[in-house]
Amino acid sequence: MIKRFNKIEGKYIERIDGQNRFGYSKPDFVDMYDLIEFSQHGGYRGNELEFYDFETGIVYKPFDKKRNVVYGNPVYLNEFLYFLKTDYDNKRVALYRYLPEIVLEEVTELEISELDLYNLAIVGDPLHIISQGSDDGFRCYYPIKTSFHLDERESVVLIKDNKIYIEKWIEEGWDDEKNCATDQYKYYTEIIVKDFTGKIIEKYIGCLNRSSTGDWWIS
């Protein structure tokens, strides 16, 4: 049986890790950082964030479309959906807690001037607002402020129990001269665990994966 949502627009629905009930869609792939360039060319038309309920078939939209407003990818934590809303006209980034028809509330609001919008996102339990990648740096803005260097092959994927979990991709056995893989080629991920000062606590081979129940698994 093929079911239909109450709103059909031909949009692709993205999965939200940690649960099975809700998916989401955004009409384009504009990043918050892109708002800076758009501001130099007349601004951005704005995008929308919509949530799809696979139990009821209802599509929810927490906010109407607004010029120069961009939304981040939502995350699921402790029975609620969370997302970032960047309003470039008001020079604010807000974190929202959301559950359709039950709650839509602002958790915190930050000034854009205090942030690096490049790869701005929310991760962890409890949630942290972070950015990473610009000038090889990791920055945390909420609920604490800290920063440290990241290798270009590293990315923060989880913050839990006051530990920052970083995945680093490793490539071995590549022939640079021939630009191809040798018989000894290996590609894998290493997990580096740091504290909030950037000090390494431990490191080991592995890749972090979140299940639909919210558990994290190392593969």
Side-chain angles (χ1 to χ4, degrees):
M1 177 182 178
I2 297 179
K3 300 180 180 181
R4 297 173 65 90
F5 285 99
N6 70 323
K7 182 180 179 182
I8 307 296
E9 295 181 312
K11 295 179 180 178
Y12 180 76
I13 302 175
E14 298 280 355
R15 178 174 174 266
I16 303 174
D17 289 340
Q19 53 84 57
N20 287 318
R21 179 173 178 177
F22 294 101
Y24 77 96
S25 74
K26 294 193 297 182
D28 53 35
F29 298 98
V30 171
D31 189 79
M32 297 177 189
Y33 183 79
D34 296 326
L35 287 171
I36 299 173
E37 182 175 351
F38 277 117
S39 68
Q40 301 170 1
H41 303 281
Y44 173 61
R45 65 181 181 277
N47 69 7
E48 295 174 304
L49 177 62
E50 294 182 317
F51 293 93
Y52 292 73
D53 189 333
F54 284 100
E55 290 187 4
T56 66
I58 298 176
V59 181
Y60 297 95
K61 184 168 61 175
F63 293 101
D64 290 331
K65 183 178 179 179
K66 182 181 177 183
R67 189 170 180 80
N68 294 323
V69 171
V70 169
Y71 298 92
N73 295 341
V75 302
Y76 175 83
L77 182 66
N78 299 330
E79 301 182 358
F80 289 95
L81 301 162
Y82 292 84
F83 61 89
L84 291 176
K85 177 185 178 182
T86 299
D87 189 327
Y88 200 76
D89 287 341
N90 292 327
K91 299 295 187 280
R92 296 287 188 274
V93 175
L95 171 64
Y96 282 91
R97 183 170 75 115
Y98 181 56
L99 195 58
E101 298 185 343
I102 296 178
V103 63
L104 173 61
E105 65 178 6
E106 184 180 294
V107 177
T108 190
E109 186 180 65
L110 304 173
E111 294 185 13
I112 286 180
S113 61
E114 300 175 349
L115 309 173
D116 182 351
L117 295 181
Y118 191 81
N119 287 336
L120 190 71
I122 44 177
V123 300
D125 179 8
L127 286 178
H128 292 67
I129 300 177
I130 70 168
S131 65
Q132 55 184 328
S134 178
D135 68 17
D136 296 328
F138 161 77
R139 294 180 176 86
C140 181
Y141 309 99
Y142 171 88
I144 67 170
K145 291 186 178 181
T146 188
S147 63
F148 54 76
H149 174 77
L150 283 179
D151 184 279
E152 62 180 7
R153 296 174 295 164
E154 298 176 349
S155 59
V156 174
V157 294
L158 175 64
I159 300 176
K160 189 173 180 63
D161 300 324
N162 293 317
K163 297 178 181 178
I164 301 174
Y165 291 80
I166 300 165
E167 288 186 344
K168 180 177 182 178
W169 59 268
I170 309 292
E171 189 176 43
E172 298 176 353
W174 182 264
D175 190 324
D176 291 327
E177 184 177 331
K178 296 181 179 179
N179 195 30
C180 66
T182 68
D183 291 342
Q184 289 74 43
Y185 180 80
K186 291 171 63 178
Y187 181 92
Y188 58 93
T189 301
E190 179 181 69
I191 297 173
I192 303 171
V193 185
K194 294 186 177 183
D195 63 19
F196 279 94
T197 69
K199 179 182 178 181
I200 295 177
I201 300 173
E202 59 181 328
K203 63 168 62 178
Y204 43 85
I205 292 176
C207 182
L208 282 166
N209 307 270
R210 195 180 185 198
S211 71
S212 61
T213 63
D215 297 320
W216 286 88
W217 291 77
I218 298 174
S219 60

